[in-house]
Amino acid sequence: MFRGIISGFATALLNTVGYIFGSRFLLHYKNPFRLLTMASLVMMFLSLPLAIFFCPFRIIPDFWNYLGKVILGGSTYLVAQCSFFAAMQYFEASRISSLLSLKIIVLSIIFIICGGSLNFLQLMAVATAAVAAMIFNWSGAQKNSLKGWIWLLLTLIFYSLEDIVETELVMQMHNFTGYSKLHSAIITVPLMYSVLGVITAPLLFFFTPDKEQIKKIFPYAALWLISQMTLLCCYAFLQPVFFLFDDTTAPIITPSNTPALAPIIIHSTRGIFSVIAGILLSYFGLSALDSQIPARLWLRRIIAALVMLGAIILYSLA
C-alpha cells in the first residue's frame, strides 16, 4: 500500500511539472495541435524499444483483440489531450492541474452507473476533493471562460475513460502472462504509446518540426510517459486494497475494472504541488508560465491543498 501511495504522489508531481513545460511550449508556439502531435511522436520513440524488447507478444491470446483495446486507449488519450491543451488556453497551468482533480466525480458517476456503490464516508471524500478543486479555481485569476469549462469537462470525461481502458489492459496482461501487476503496468504503457505514435505520425504532413521544438517538447513528453507508468503502478499496488471487484473477464467498463477512487484522490494531490510550483514560478519571475496573484490568493490555494489532504485521509478511513 505504501508503494502505491508513493507512486500516486510521484504521478501528481510529474504531471504538475509536465504541465508547466506544456504551458511553456504553448507560450512559444500557440498551437495545441502541434504540441499534441510532437509529444505523441517523442513518446513513441521513447516507448518503442521498450515495447519491442519487453512486451510478450507471442503469449498474448487473441492479440488483435488486445491491440484493438490498445488503440481504443490511445484514441481516448488523444481526445483527452486535445481537450486539455485547448483548455490550457483558458486556465493557468497550476489552476488546470488542480481542476483535473474533479476527475474523481466523473469516475464516481461511471462507477455507480456500472453497478458499483460508495458508502457515506467515500461519498464525503469525493465531495471534499471536489470542493478543494473548486477552491483552487476560486483564486481570483483573470483567465476564465465558458469555453474553457466545456473543454475541461471533455478532458475529465476522456481522461476517465483512458484510465478505465488502461486498467483493463494491465489486468488482462497480468492474467495472460502471469506477470505481477506492477510488471504488467510497466509493459502496457510503452505498448500503448508506441501505437499512439504510429496513429499520430501522419499528422506530420501538416507541419515540419525542428530541433528547437523537439527540445522544448521533450521534457513534457518524457514526464508524461513516466507519470503514466507511475499512475498504473499506483493502481497495481493499491488494487488489492481499494478495488471492490476482481472479475477481469468482464466487458471494458464495469465496476471490476473501473479504477479505484483512492488512487485518483491520491493523484489529486497534484493540487498541492501546483501551489508550490506556482509560488516558485512567481518567485523566480516566471509568472508568464502560470499566473501572478497576490499572497492572499496563494493562501486560499494552500487551504484548498489542505482540504484535498483531508479528502485523502477521509477516503482511507472509509
Side-chain angles (χ1 to χ4, degrees), residues 60-203:
I60 298 177
D62 197 5
F63 175 76
W64 293 109
N65 179 56
Y66 188 83
L67 181 61
K69 292 181 180 179
V70 171
I71 294 173
L72 177 61
S75 300
T76 57
Y77 163 84
L78 284 175
V79 177
Q81 289 292 80
C82 282
S83 303
F84 173 76
F85 293 139
M88 282 189 73
Q89 297 179 84
Y90 301 95
F91 297 100
E92 299 84 357
S94 65
R95 189 171 166 218
I96 194 171
S97 175
S98 305
L99 288 171
L100 288 179
S101 302
L102 294 171
K103 185 171 69 171
I104 63 172
I105 297 178
V106 176
L107 280 171
S108 297
I109 293 171
I110 293 174
F111 186 79
I112 292 171
I113 289 174
C114 293
S117 62
L118 301 175
N119 62 38
F120 177 74
L121 286 180
Q122 288 172 324
L123 288 171
M124 288 296 295
V126 172
T128 302
V131 168
M134 295 308 297
I135 295 173
F136 273 117
N137 180 59
W138 185 46
S139 61
Q142 294 180 354
K143 290 185 179 181
N144 213 342
S145 168
L146 177 60
K147 289 183 180 179
W149 283 101
I150 292 173
W151 285 119
L152 178 64
L153 177 61
L154 289 173
T155 301
L156 295 172
I157 292 172
F158 281 93
Y159 270 154
S160 298
L161 293 175
E162 181 195 6
D163 284 347
I164 291 170
V165 176
E166 284 188 345
T167 302
E168 169 75 4
L169 291 171
V170 171
M171 295 308 298
Q172 284 198 340
M173 182 68 73
H174 167 68
N175 291 336
F176 292 155
T177 63
Y179 294 161
S180 69
K181 292 168 186 173
L182 172 61
H183 190 175
S184 300
I186 294 174
I187 290 175
T188 300
V189 172
L191 178 61
M192 194 179 90
Y193 284 92
S194 296
V195 173
L196 176 66
V198 173
I199 294 172
T200 56
L203 299 177

Side-chain angles (χ1 to χ4, degrees), residues 248-267:
T248 55
T249 62
I252 281 185
I253 303 179
T254 68
S256 64
N257 48 31
T258 302
L261 294 180
I264 300 299
I265 292 177
I266 292 171
H267 187 204

Side-chain angles (χ1 to χ4, degrees), residues 187-220:
I187 290 175
T188 300
V189 172
L191 178 61
M192 194 179 90
Y193 284 92
S194 296
V195 173
L196 176 66
V198 173
I199 294 172
T200 56
L203 299 177
L204 284 175
F205 287 108
F206 294 97
F207 65 90
T208 303
D210 55 40
K211 290 183 179 179
E212 187 63 25
Q213 293 176 36
I214 295 173
K215 182 179 177 180
K216 282 187 169 61
I217 199 61
F218 185 88
Y220 169 81

